[in-house]
Amino acid sequence: MKNQQNMMKQMQKMQKQMQKAQEELKEKTVEATSGGGAVKVTAAGDKRIVDVEIDQDVVDPEDVEMLQDLILAAMNEALKKVDELTEQDLGKFTKGMNIPGM
């Protein structure tokens, strides 16, 4: 019985630590670029895109598809970096566990 109580306390402590880490993650940002820096995307740790910068030189009305591709590439790279940041910050809590969505 005492072992079970200790385990529950440890689980509650870990849950609080995970919640704190998730809140801190929301405040962190990552940046990704494409086209040699022509497009820069900044994403928050909770996968919100918070900024997009586009160099005027890549805005060509005759080639909108290229600009779209550059934006997609930068956004996908930013989201990949958020995933890596999440694994780095929260992975310590889930190591060895098979938790869906974590």
Side-chain angles (χ1 to χ4, degrees):
M1 187 72 157
K2 183 148 174 107
N3 256 355
Q4 205 171 23
Q5 286 176 333
N6 284 341
M7 191 167 82
M8 287 298 291
K9 284 181 183 180
Q10 287 177 340
M11 291 293 287
Q12 289 172 341
K13 182 180 176 182
M14 187 175 83
Q15 185 178 21
K16 286 180 184 177
Q17 290 173 335
M18 279 183 68
Q19 287 174 337
K20 182 180 178 191
Q22 287 172 327
E23 289 300 315
E24 290 172 353
L25 193 59
K26 289 180 184 179
E27 302 302 316
K28 294 181 179 182
T29 60
V30 296
E31 292 181 354
T33 62
S34 66
V39 174
K40 181 172 85 171
V41 172
T42 305
D46 59 354
K47 292 191 174 183
R48 287 178 299 118
I49 303 299
V50 294
D51 191 34
V52 176
E53 294 178 27
I54 302 171
D55 188 321
Q56 289 182 10
D57 294 337
V58 296
V59 180
D60 179 0
E62 300 297 318
D63 194 3
V64 174
E65 286 181 23
M66 181 196 63
L67 180 56
Q68 291 169 335
D69 289 344
L70 290 174
I71 293 169
L72 282 174
M75 289 178 74
N76 285 328
E77 181 63 24
L79 294 177
K80 178 182 171 198
K81 286 182 177 186
V82 169
D83 287 340
E84 292 168 356
L85 181 65
T86 301
E87 174 59 30
Q88 175 185 327
D89 286 8
L90 298 181
K92 59 187 167 217
F93 298 109
T94 59
K95 288 269 191 262
M97 296 183 211
N98 188 12
I99 302 173
M102 296 296 282

